[in-house]
Protein backbone atom coordinates (compact mmCIF):
# COMPACT_ATOMS: atom_id res chain seq x y z
CA UNK A 1 0.00 0.00 0.00
CA UNK A 2 1.45 3.35 -0.97
CA UNK A 3 0.73 6.16 1.50
CA UNK A 4 1.49 9.75 0.59
CA UNK A 5 1.80 12.03 3.64
CA UNK A 6 1.37 15.70 2.79
CA UNK A 7 2.18 18.51 5.25
CA UNK A 8 3.71 21.95 5.19
CA UNK A 9 3.85 23.88 8.47
CA UNK A 10 5.74 23.52 11.74
CA UNK A 11 2.92 22.00 13.83
CA UNK A 12 1.90 19.55 11.11
CA UNK A 13 5.49 18.38 10.78
CA UNK A 14 5.90 17.89 14.54
CA UNK A 15 2.66 15.92 14.75
CA UNK A 16 3.29 13.94 11.54
CA UNK A 17 6.88 13.03 12.47
CA UNK A 18 5.90 10.05 14.67
CA UNK A 19 3.48 8.86 11.96
CA UNK A 20 6.09 9.10 9.21
CA UNK A 21 8.50 7.11 11.38
CA UNK A 22 5.89 4.45 12.09
CA UNK A 23 4.94 4.23 8.41
CA UNK A 24 8.59 3.83 7.43
CA UNK A 25 9.01 0.83 9.70
CA UNK A 26 5.74 -0.88 8.67
CA UNK A 27 6.35 -3.89 6.42
CA UNK A 28 3.35 -3.53 4.14
CA UNK A 29 3.63 0.17 3.42
CA UNK A 30 5.51 2.24 0.91
CA UNK A 31 5.71 5.64 2.57
CA UNK A 32 6.20 8.79 0.48
CA UNK A 33 6.46 12.28 1.99
CA UNK A 34 5.50 15.50 0.23
CA UNK A 35 6.14 18.76 2.04
CA UNK A 36 4.44 21.76 0.53
CA UNK A 37 6.82 24.26 2.11
CA UNK A 38 3.93 26.44 3.31
CA UNK A 39 6.50 27.25 6.00
CA UNK A 40 10.19 27.42 5.18
CA UNK A 41 12.72 27.67 8.03
CA UNK A 42 10.10 26.75 10.67
CA UNK A 43 9.39 23.55 8.72
CA UNK A 44 13.05 22.79 7.98
CA UNK A 45 13.82 22.88 11.72
CA UNK A 46 11.41 20.00 12.32
CA UNK A 47 12.48 17.96 9.28
CA UNK A 48 16.07 18.22 10.43
CA UNK A 49 15.38 17.38 14.09
CA UNK A 50 13.26 14.30 13.33
CA UNK A 51 15.47 13.33 10.40
CA UNK A 52 12.60 13.17 7.90
CA UNK A 53 13.40 13.17 4.19
CA UNK A 54 10.76 14.43 1.80
CA UNK A 55 10.58 12.99 -1.69
CA UNK A 56 8.76 16.14 -2.83
CA UNK A 57 9.16 19.75 -1.67
CA UNK A 58 6.79 22.14 -3.39
CA UNK A 59 8.41 25.27 -1.89
CA UNK A 60 5.22 27.31 -2.06
CA UNK A 61 5.95 29.82 0.71
CA UNK A 62 6.04 33.49 -0.19
CA UNK A 63 6.50 36.37 2.25
CA UNK A 64 3.15 37.59 3.60
CA UNK A 65 1.28 35.05 1.51
CA UNK A 66 -2.49 35.40 1.25
CA UNK A 67 -4.74 32.42 1.80
CA UNK A 68 -5.94 32.51 -1.81
CA UNK A 69 -2.54 32.83 -3.46
CA UNK A 70 -1.18 30.08 -1.21
CA UNK A 71 -4.16 27.84 -2.07
CA UNK A 72 -3.70 28.47 -5.78
CA UNK A 73 -0.01 27.52 -5.66
CA UNK A 74 -0.84 24.41 -3.66
CA UNK A 75 -3.49 23.21 -6.14
CA UNK A 76 -1.14 23.89 -9.04
CA UNK A 77 1.77 21.97 -7.56
CA UNK A 78 -0.04 19.12 -5.80
CA UNK A 79 -1.83 17.84 -8.91
CA UNK A 80 1.33 16.61 -10.69
CA UNK A 81 2.66 14.97 -7.49
CA UNK A 82 -0.58 13.02 -7.03
CA UNK A 83 -0.54 12.02 -10.69
CA UNK A 84 3.08 10.87 -10.53
CA UNK A 85 2.75 8.95 -7.26
CA UNK A 86 -0.80 7.55 -7.63
CA UNK A 87 -0.89 6.68 -3.90
CA UNK A 88 -3.51 4.34 -2.43
CA UNK A 89 -4.18 6.94 0.21
CA UNK A 90 -3.22 10.47 1.17
CA UNK A 91 -2.64 11.38 4.82
CA UNK A 92 -3.18 14.94 5.98
CA UNK A 93 -3.07 16.49 9.42
CA UNK A 94 -5.06 19.12 11.23
CA UNK A 95 -6.45 22.32 9.80
CA UNK A 96 -3.92 24.29 7.79
CA UNK A 97 -4.33 25.51 4.23
CA UNK A 98 -1.89 22.79 3.18
CA UNK A 99 -4.07 20.10 4.75
CA UNK A 100 -7.33 21.46 3.31
CA UNK A 101 -6.03 21.90 -0.24
CA UNK A 102 -4.15 18.58 -0.23
CA UNK A 103 -7.33 16.78 0.86
CA UNK A 104 -9.32 18.43 -1.90
CA UNK A 105 -6.64 17.83 -4.54
CA UNK A 106 -6.66 14.13 -3.62
CA UNK A 107 -10.45 14.05 -3.59
CA UNK A 108 -10.49 15.56 -7.10
CA UNK A 109 -8.37 12.64 -8.25
CA UNK A 110 -10.54 10.10 -6.38
CA UNK A 111 -7.71 9.21 -4.01
CA UNK A 112 -8.93 8.31 -0.48
CA UNK A 113 -7.96 10.77 2.24
CA UNK A 114 -7.26 9.97 5.89
CA UNK A 115 -7.43 12.87 8.34
CA UNK A 116 -5.28 12.89 11.46
CA UNK A 117 -6.49 15.14 14.31
CA UNK A 118 -10.06 14.98 13.00
CA UNK A 119 -13.11 16.34 14.80
CA UNK A 120 -11.70 19.41 16.58
CA UNK A 121 -14.38 22.11 16.67
CA UNK A 122 -15.10 25.46 18.26
CA UNK A 123 -18.44 25.82 16.48
CA UNK A 124 -17.32 29.30 15.37
CA UNK A 125 -16.13 29.75 11.78
CA UNK A 126 -14.23 32.95 12.71
CA UNK A 127 -12.20 31.44 15.56
CA UNK A 128 -9.79 30.02 14.68
CA UNK A 129 -9.86 31.47 11.19
CA UNK A 130 -9.57 29.91 8.66
CA UNK A 131 -8.81 26.66 10.50
CA UNK A 132 -12.36 25.86 11.67
CA UNK A 133 -13.52 25.82 8.03
CA UNK A 134 -10.48 23.81 6.91
CA UNK A 135 -10.96 21.03 9.43
CA UNK A 136 -14.69 20.74 8.70
CA UNK A 137 -14.02 20.46 4.96
CA UNK A 138 -11.34 17.82 5.42
CA UNK A 139 -13.54 15.70 7.68
CA UNK A 140 -16.29 15.62 5.07
CA UNK A 141 -13.78 14.33 2.47
CA UNK A 142 -11.95 11.84 4.69
CA UNK A 143 -12.74 8.13 4.79
CA UNK A 144 -10.60 7.48 7.87
CA UNK A 145 -11.09 10.12 10.57
CA UNK A 146 -8.45 9.74 13.28
CA UNK A 147 -9.96 11.63 16.21
CA UNK A 148 -7.56 12.42 19.04
CA UNK A 149 -10.14 12.25 21.83
CA UNK A 150 -13.61 10.91 22.61
CA UNK A 151 -14.86 14.50 22.48
CA UNK A 152 -13.54 15.00 18.95
CA UNK A 153 -15.17 11.71 17.93
CA UNK A 154 -18.46 12.92 19.37
CA UNK A 155 -18.20 16.14 17.35
CA UNK A 156 -17.84 14.03 14.20
CA UNK A 157 -20.81 11.81 15.07
CA UNK A 158 -22.87 14.97 15.59
CA UNK A 159 -22.07 15.85 11.96
CA UNK A 160 -23.28 12.42 10.76
CA UNK A 161 -19.76 11.21 10.07
CA UNK A 162 -20.05 8.02 12.15
CA UNK A 163 -18.58 4.84 10.67
CA UNK A 164 -15.18 6.27 9.74
CA UNK A 165 -14.03 7.50 13.16
CA UNK A 166 -11.16 5.96 15.12
CA UNK A 167 -10.00 7.45 18.45
CA UNK A 168 -6.20 7.40 18.42
CA UNK A 169 -4.96 10.07 20.84
CA UNK A 170 -2.99 13.00 19.48
CA UNK A 171 0.37 12.27 17.87
CA UNK A 172 1.74 15.44 19.48
CA UNK A 173 2.09 13.44 22.70
CA UNK A 174 4.14 10.83 20.81
CA UNK A 175 6.44 13.60 19.55
CA UNK A 176 6.65 15.19 22.99
CA UNK A 177 7.44 11.92 24.76
CA UNK A 178 10.17 11.09 22.23
CA UNK A 179 11.71 14.52 22.76
CA UNK A 180 11.41 14.52 26.56
CA UNK A 181 13.00 11.07 26.65
CA UNK A 182 15.86 12.30 24.48
CA UNK A 183 16.48 15.23 26.84
CA UNK A 184 16.03 13.18 30.02
CA UNK A 185 18.50 10.51 28.98
CA UNK A 186 21.31 12.91 28.11
CA UNK A 187 22.70 15.22 30.80
CA UNK A 188 25.26 16.69 28.42
CA UNK A 189 22.44 17.62 26.05
CA UNK A 190 20.53 19.29 28.91
CA UNK A 191 23.58 21.39 29.72
CA UNK A 192 24.12 22.23 26.07
CA UNK A 193 20.52 23.34 25.60
CA UNK A 194 20.49 25.40 28.81
CA UNK A 195 23.77 27.08 27.89
CA UNK A 196 22.06 28.40 24.77
CA UNK A 197 19.57 30.28 26.95
CA UNK A 198 21.73 32.71 28.97
CA UNK A 199 18.59 34.42 30.32
CA UNK A 200 17.85 31.28 32.39
CA UNK A 201 20.90 31.82 34.59
CA UNK A 202 20.25 35.58 34.77
CA UNK A 203 16.67 34.94 35.85
CA UNK A 204 17.74 32.44 38.51
CA UNK A 205 20.27 34.91 39.95
CA UNK A 206 17.66 37.69 40.03
CA UNK A 207 14.93 35.44 41.48
CA UNK A 208 12.76 35.80 38.39
CA UNK A 209 10.59 33.03 36.97
CA UNK A 210 9.96 32.27 33.34
CA UNK A 211 6.84 33.32 31.45
CA UNK A 212 7.04 31.52 28.10
CA UNK A 213 4.97 33.17 25.37
CA UNK A 214 3.94 32.17 21.85
CA UNK A 215 1.33 33.75 19.60
CA UNK A 216 0.48 33.74 15.93
CA UNK A 217 -3.26 33.34 15.24
CA UNK A 218 -4.64 35.25 12.27
CA UNK A 219 -7.79 36.27 14.15
CA UNK A 220 -5.53 37.99 16.69
CA UNK A 221 -3.76 40.17 14.06
CA UNK A 222 -4.25 43.87 14.74
CA UNK A 223 -6.20 44.55 17.95
CA UNK A 224 -5.50 41.12 19.45
CA UNK A 225 -1.72 41.43 19.14
CA UNK A 226 -1.81 45.03 20.35
CA UNK A 227 -3.60 43.76 23.46
CA UNK A 228 -1.17 40.89 23.95
CA UNK A 229 1.84 43.23 23.63
CA UNK A 230 0.33 45.77 26.02
CA UNK A 231 -0.19 43.02 28.56
CA UNK A 232 3.40 41.79 28.17
CA UNK A 233 4.73 45.35 28.49
CA UNK A 234 2.82 45.76 31.75
CA UNK A 235 3.98 42.39 33.06
CA UNK A 236 7.59 43.28 32.26
CA UNK A 237 7.36 46.04 34.89
CA UNK A 238 7.35 43.32 37.56
CA UNK A 239 10.72 42.34 39.00
CA UNK A 240 9.88 38.63 39.36
CA UNK A 241 9.10 37.79 35.72
CA UNK A 242 11.44 36.89 32.86
CA UNK A 243 9.50 36.91 29.61
CA UNK A 244 10.74 34.69 26.77
CA UNK A 245 8.93 34.91 23.46
CA UNK A 246 10.11 32.93 20.40
CA UNK A 247 8.39 35.10 17.83
CA UNK A 248 6.61 33.54 14.83
CA UNK A 249 8.11 34.69 11.51
CA UNK A 250 4.86 36.04 10.10
CA UNK A 251 5.50 39.79 9.56
CA UNK A 252 1.98 40.47 10.93
CA UNK A 253 3.26 39.07 14.22
CA UNK A 254 6.96 39.97 14.17
CA UNK A 255 6.24 43.64 13.29
CA UNK A 256 4.01 44.64 16.21
CA UNK A 257 5.81 42.43 18.71
CA UNK A 258 9.21 43.97 17.94
CA UNK A 259 7.78 47.50 17.78
CA UNK A 260 6.03 47.25 21.15
CA UNK A 261 8.34 45.03 23.20
CA UNK A 262 11.95 45.58 22.11
CA UNK A 263 14.47 47.10 24.48
CA UNK A 264 13.21 45.70 27.79
CA UNK A 265 15.82 43.85 29.89
CA UNK A 266 13.52 41.08 31.05
CA UNK A 267 11.78 40.53 27.69
CA UNK A 268 13.62 38.21 25.31
CA UNK A 269 12.24 38.23 21.78
CA UNK A 270 14.00 35.32 20.14
CA UNK A 271 13.78 33.49 16.80
CA UNK A 272 11.51 30.44 16.53
CA UNK A 273 13.19 27.52 18.25
CA UNK A 274 13.54 24.01 17.00
CA UNK A 275 11.31 21.56 18.86
CA UNK A 276 14.08 20.20 21.10
CA UNK A 277 14.93 23.68 22.38
CA UNK A 278 11.29 24.67 22.72
CA UNK A 279 10.43 21.59 24.78
CA UNK A 280 13.40 22.37 27.04
CA UNK A 281 12.08 25.92 27.54
CA UNK A 282 8.61 24.57 28.35
CA UNK A 283 10.24 22.42 31.02
CA UNK A 284 11.79 25.56 32.54
CA UNK A 285 8.63 27.68 32.33
CA UNK A 286 6.68 28.73 35.41
CA UNK A 287 3.69 29.70 33.27
CA UNK A 288 2.96 29.34 29.55
CA UNK A 289 0.97 32.07 27.76
CA UNK A 290 -0.05 31.13 24.23
CA UNK A 291 -2.62 31.08 21.45
CA UNK A 292 -1.12 27.93 19.93
CA UNK A 293 -3.04 24.71 19.44
CA UNK A 294 -0.11 22.36 19.94
CA UNK A 295 1.24 24.14 23.03
CA UNK A 296 -2.20 23.80 24.67
CA UNK A 297 -1.80 20.05 24.32
CA UNK A 298 1.86 19.74 25.29
CA UNK A 299 2.23 22.02 28.32
CA UNK A 300 -0.39 20.17 30.43
CA UNK A 301 1.48 16.93 29.73
CA UNK A 302 4.55 18.61 31.26
CA UNK A 303 2.58 19.83 34.28
CA UNK A 304 2.80 23.49 33.25
CA UNK A 305 -0.04 25.99 33.77
CA UNK A 306 -1.30 27.35 30.45
CA UNK A 307 -3.17 30.59 29.81
CA UNK A 308 -4.66 30.66 26.33
CA UNK A 309 -5.04 34.02 24.59
CA UNK A 310 -8.20 33.09 22.76
CA UNK A 311 -11.92 33.37 23.49
CA UNK A 312 -12.74 29.84 22.45
CA UNK A 313 -10.85 26.59 22.05
CA UNK A 314 -11.35 23.39 20.11
CA UNK A 315 -9.28 21.66 22.78
CA UNK A 316 -11.61 21.73 25.81
CA UNK A 317 -10.20 18.66 27.56
CA UNK A 318 -7.33 20.42 29.36
CA UNK A 319 -9.64 23.31 30.30
CA UNK A 320 -11.94 20.70 31.87
CA UNK A 321 -9.00 19.12 33.71
CA UNK A 322 -8.06 22.51 35.21
CA UNK A 323 -4.60 22.94 33.69
CA UNK A 324 -5.59 25.41 30.96
CA UNK A 325 -7.58 28.66 31.24
CA UNK A 326 -8.86 30.81 28.39
CA UNK A 327 -8.01 34.48 28.95
CA UNK A 328 -8.71 36.18 25.60
CA UNK A 329 -6.57 39.10 24.38
CA UNK A 330 -7.79 42.01 26.54
CA UNK A 331 -4.67 43.27 28.40
CA UNK A 332 -6.21 43.61 31.88
CA UNK A 333 -7.45 40.05 31.81
CA UNK A 334 -4.13 38.60 30.64
CA UNK A 335 -2.22 40.61 33.26
CA UNK A 336 -4.58 39.59 36.08
CA UNK A 337 -4.38 35.91 35.22
CA UNK A 338 -0.60 35.84 34.85
CA UNK A 339 -0.23 37.81 38.09
CA UNK A 340 -2.44 35.36 39.94
CA UNK A 341 -0.27 32.43 38.86
CA UNK A 342 2.92 34.26 39.86
CA UNK A 343 1.56 35.61 43.16
CA UNK A 344 -0.49 32.73 44.47
CA UNK A 345 1.37 29.46 44.94
CA UNK A 346 -1.82 27.55 45.71
CA UNK A 347 -3.47 28.65 42.47
CA UNK A 348 -0.29 27.77 40.58
CA UNK A 349 -0.16 24.33 42.21
CA UNK A 350 -3.80 23.79 41.25
CA UNK A 351 -2.91 24.29 37.59
CA UNK A 352 0.49 22.60 37.63
CA UNK A 353 -0.76 19.04 37.71
CA UNK A 354 0.25 16.71 34.94
CA UNK A 355 -2.73 16.05 32.71
CA UNK A 356 -2.69 13.92 29.63
CA UNK A 357 -6.13 14.02 28.08
CA UNK A 358 -4.67 14.16 24.57
CA UNK A 359 -2.65 11.00 24.23
CA UNK A 360 -0.45 8.26 25.64
CA UNK A 361 2.41 8.22 23.14
CA UNK A 362 0.94 5.41 21.03
CA UNK A 363 -1.19 7.40 18.59
CA UNK A 364 1.04 6.90 15.54
CA UNK A 365 1.12 3.16 16.20
CA UNK A 366 -2.71 3.08 16.27
CA UNK A 367 -2.96 5.06 13.03
CA UNK A 368 -0.63 2.71 11.19
CA UNK A 369 -2.42 -0.33 12.67
CA UNK A 370 -5.75 1.03 11.44
CA UNK A 371 -4.35 1.68 7.96
CA UNK A 372 -2.88 -1.81 7.70
CA UNK A 373 -5.78 -3.70 9.28
CA UNK A 374 -3.87 -4.80 12.40
CA UNK A 375 -6.03 -5.08 15.57
CA UNK A 376 -5.48 -2.42 18.24
CA UNK A 377 -7.30 -0.74 21.13
CA UNK A 378 -8.56 2.79 20.63
CA UNK A 379 -7.28 5.57 22.90
CA UNK A 380 -9.52 6.10 25.85
CA UNK A 381 -9.72 9.79 26.74
CA UNK A 382 -11.78 11.41 29.50
CA UNK A 383 -15.50 11.14 28.80
CA UNK A 384 -17.77 14.17 28.61
CA UNK A 385 -15.06 16.42 27.27
CA UNK A 386 -16.92 17.29 24.09
CA UNK A 387 -18.12 20.63 25.36
CA UNK A 388 -16.48 23.50 23.55
CA UNK A 389 -14.36 25.62 25.89
CA UNK A 390 -15.36 29.30 25.95
CA UNK A 391 -13.36 32.07 27.59
CA UNK A 392 -16.44 33.59 29.12
CA UNK A 393 -18.26 30.41 30.01
C1 LIG B 1 -0.08 28.62 9.56
C2 LIG B 1 -1.45 27.95 9.62
C3 LIG B 1 -1.94 27.87 11.06
C4 LIG B 1 -0.91 27.24 11.95
C5 LIG B 1 0.41 27.99 11.81
C6 LIG B 1 1.46 27.31 12.63
C7 LIG B 1 -2.96 28.32 7.76
C8 LIG B 1 -4.04 29.16 7.19
N1 LIG B 1 -2.41 28.75 8.89
O1 LIG B 1 -0.25 29.97 9.94
O2 LIG B 1 -3.14 27.10 11.10
O3 LIG B 1 -1.36 27.32 13.28
O4 LIG B 1 0.81 27.97 10.43
O5 LIG B 1 2.57 28.12 12.82
O6 LIG B 1 -2.64 27.31 7.20
N2 LIG B 1 6.93 32.70 7.48
C9 LIG B 1 8.28 32.73 7.23
N3 LIG B 1 9.00 31.58 7.44
C10 LIG B 1 8.44 30.43 7.89
C11 LIG B 1 7.07 30.43 8.17
C12 LIG B 1 6.31 31.58 7.95
O7 LIG B 1 8.83 33.73 6.83
O8 LIG B 1 9.16 29.43 8.07
C13 LIG B 1 6.12 33.95 7.23
C14 LIG B 1 5.95 34.24 5.73
O9 LIG B 1 5.94 35.62 5.53
C15 LIG B 1 4.54 33.67 5.46
C16 LIG B 1 3.86 34.04 6.76
O10 LIG B 1 4.83 33.79 7.77
O11 LIG B 1 3.92 34.21 4.33
C17 LIG B 1 2.58 33.31 7.05
O12 LIG B 1 2.71 31.91 6.95
P1 LIG B 1 1.38 31.02 6.78
O13 LIG B 1 1.76 29.58 6.76
O14 LIG B 1 0.55 31.50 5.64
O15 LIG B 1 0.52 31.34 8.05
P2 LIG B 1 0.79 31.10 9.58
O16 LIG B 1 0.30 32.31 10.28
O17 LIG B 1 2.18 30.64 9.79
N1 LIG C 1 7.09 25.20 18.78
C1 LIG C 1 8.43 25.08 18.41
N2 LIG C 1 9.22 26.19 18.46
C2 LIG C 1 8.77 27.40 18.85
C3 LIG C 1 7.40 27.53 19.21
C4 LIG C 1 6.59 26.40 19.15
O1 LIG C 1 8.89 23.98 18.06
O2 LIG C 1 9.55 28.36 18.88
C5 LIG C 1 6.22 24.00 18.68
C6 LIG C 1 5.29 23.73 19.84
O3 LIG C 1 5.92 22.96 20.83
C7 LIG C 1 4.14 23.01 19.16
C8 LIG C 1 4.11 23.62 17.78
O4 LIG C 1 5.37 24.23 17.57
O5 LIG C 1 4.39 21.63 19.00
C9 LIG C 1 3.00 24.63 17.70
O6 LIG C 1 3.13 25.37 16.54
P1 LIG C 1 2.30 26.70 16.30
O7 LIG C 1 1.99 27.34 17.61
O8 LIG C 1 3.05 27.47 15.29
O9 LIG C 1 0.97 26.17 15.60
P2 LIG C 1 -0.43 25.62 16.15
O10 LIG C 1 -0.15 24.47 17.06
O11 LIG C 1 -1.12 26.75 16.82
O12 LIG C 1 -1.14 25.21 14.91
Amino acid sequence: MKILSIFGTRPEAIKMAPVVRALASADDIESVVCVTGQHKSMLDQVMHLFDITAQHNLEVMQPEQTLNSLSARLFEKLGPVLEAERPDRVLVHGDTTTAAIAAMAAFHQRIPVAHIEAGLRTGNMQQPWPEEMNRRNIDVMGDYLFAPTAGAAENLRNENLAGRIIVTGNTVIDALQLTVQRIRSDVALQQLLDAEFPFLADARRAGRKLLLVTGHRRENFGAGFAGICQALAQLSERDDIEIVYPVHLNPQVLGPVKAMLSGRDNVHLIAPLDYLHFVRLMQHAHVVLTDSGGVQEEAPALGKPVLVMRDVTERPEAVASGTVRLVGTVPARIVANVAELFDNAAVHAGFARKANPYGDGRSAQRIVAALTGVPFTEFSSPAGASVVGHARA
Side-chain angles (χ1 to χ4, degrees):
M1 189 195 313
K2 189 194 259 192
I3 304 267
L4 176 61
S5 302
I6 305 179
F7 50 93
T9 66
R10 169 173 69 190
E12 291 168 273
I14 291 169
K15 291 171 167 183
M16 284 298 282
V19 180
V20 170
R21 280 165 81 131
L23 287 170
S25 57
D27 288 340
D28 309 334
I29 289 182
E30 182 188 350
S31 169
V32 181
V33 173
C34 170
V35 293
T36 64
Q38 177 177 336
H39 282 175
K40 202 176 262 175
S41 58
M42 288 165 59
L43 173 70
D44 294 345
Q45 287 178 320
V46 188
M47 301 298 281
H48 182 70
L49 182 71
F50 286 98
D51 200 18
I52 303 171
T53 308
Q55 283 70 40
H56 304 271
N57 186 342
L58 308 183
E59 298 187 330
V60 295
M61 197 198 90
Q62 288 183 0
E64 301 206 58
Q65 57 205 2
T66 64
L67 296 176
N68 283 336
S69 70
L70 171 63
S71 302
R73 286 193 298 283
L74 285 166
F75 269 129
E76 200 66 57
K77 293 199 169 185
L78 279 165
V81 173
L82 292 168
E83 269 154 36
E85 293 289 353
R86 295 303 314 164
D88 296 294
R89 180 173 303 283
V90 160
L91 264 186
V92 298
H93 182 283
D95 53 20
T96 64
T97 300
T98 282
I101 302 301
M104 183 156 276
F107 183 75
H108 286 163
Q109 297 193 18
R110 298 190 185 279
I111 299 167
V113 176
H115 187 201
I116 302 178
E117 203 181 74
L120 272 59
R121 299 286 185 270
T122 61
N124 181 340
M125 286 296 191
Q126 306 304 321
Q127 298 186 50
W129 177 85
E131 289 83 358
E132 179 79 359
M133 171 66 96
N134 287 343
R135 52 170 85 115
R136 281 172 186 264
N137 286 346
I138 301 169
D139 285 334
V140 173
M141 289 183 277
D143 69 337
Y144 274 105
L145 302 179
F146 296 120
T149 63
E154 196 178 316
N155 292 338
L156 293 167
R157 281 191 296 273
N158 289 340
E159 293 171 17
N160 298 321
L161 296 171
R164 20 181 166 159
I165 308 162
I166 298 167
V167 182
T168 58
N170 197 309
T171 58
V172 78
I173 303 299
D174 301 28
L176 181 68
Q177 287 184 1
L178 280 169
T179 308
V180 165
Q181 180 52 29
R182 182 168 163 191
I183 296 172
R184 189 188 292 137
S185 63
D186 189 343
V187 176
L189 176 64
Q190 291 166 23
Q191 289 165 350
L192 204 75
L193 293 171
D194 292 351
E196 290 180 47
F197 301 127
F199 48 79
L200 287 178
D202 293 347
R204 207 172 304 121
R205 272 192 295 274
R208 294 195 291 261
K209 290 184 182 143
L210 204 72
L211 175 65
L212 177 61
V213 183
T214 79
H216 69 85
R217 300 240 77 87
R218 276 173 197 260
E219 67 272 17
N220 284 344
F221 289 176
F225 269 95
I228 290 169
C229 292
Q230 273 174 41
L232 292 174
Q234 272 185 53
L235 287 164
S236 74
E237 303 294 325
R238 293 178 56 127
D239 58 11
D240 60 347
I241 295 187
E242 198 81 28
I243 298 174
V244 181
Y245 185 168
V247 189
H248 193 288
L249 294 177
N250 195 328
Q252 297 278 354
V253 178
L254 201 50
V257 168
K258 275 196 166 161
M260 292 182 68
L261 293 172
S262 293
R264 293 165 192 265
D265 286 348
N266 59 342
V267 181
H268 308 276
L269 306 176
I270 58 177
L273 296 167
D274 76 22
Y275 191 55
L276 187 64
H277 285 78
F278 189 74
V279 169
R280 186 62 180 160
L281 264 197
M282 280 197 283
Q283 290 180 324
H284 282 296
H286 188 57
V287 174
V288 178
L289 179 64
T290 188
D291 66 13
S292 159
V295 178
Q296 279 178 69
E297 295 156 341
E298 294 160 342
L302 297 172
K304 299 297 174 178
V306 189
L307 299 174
V308 175
M309 298 180 289
R310 295 172 54 181
D311 294 329
V312 61
T313 183
E314 60 287 308
R315 294 166 166 93
E317 291 85 354
V319 178
S321 74
T323 57
V324 168
R325 183 184 285 170
L326 294 172
V327 299
T329 55
V330 173
R333 185 136 181 252
I334 297 175
V335 171
N337 277 279
V338 172
E340 189 184 22
L341 284 168
F342 274 78
D343 292 339
N344 190 327
V347 173
H348 187 275
F351 271 75
R353 288 171 287 107
K354 280 197 182 174
N356 243 334
Y358 298 112
D360 59 0
R362 292 189 289 125
S363 307
Q365 208 180 304
R366 288 190 185 94
I367 288 166
V368 175
L371 291 171
T372 50
V374 173
F376 64 97
T377 312
E378 291 190 40
F379 174 63
S380 139
S381 66
S386 59
V387 282
V388 169
H390 283 278
R392 287 173 192 84

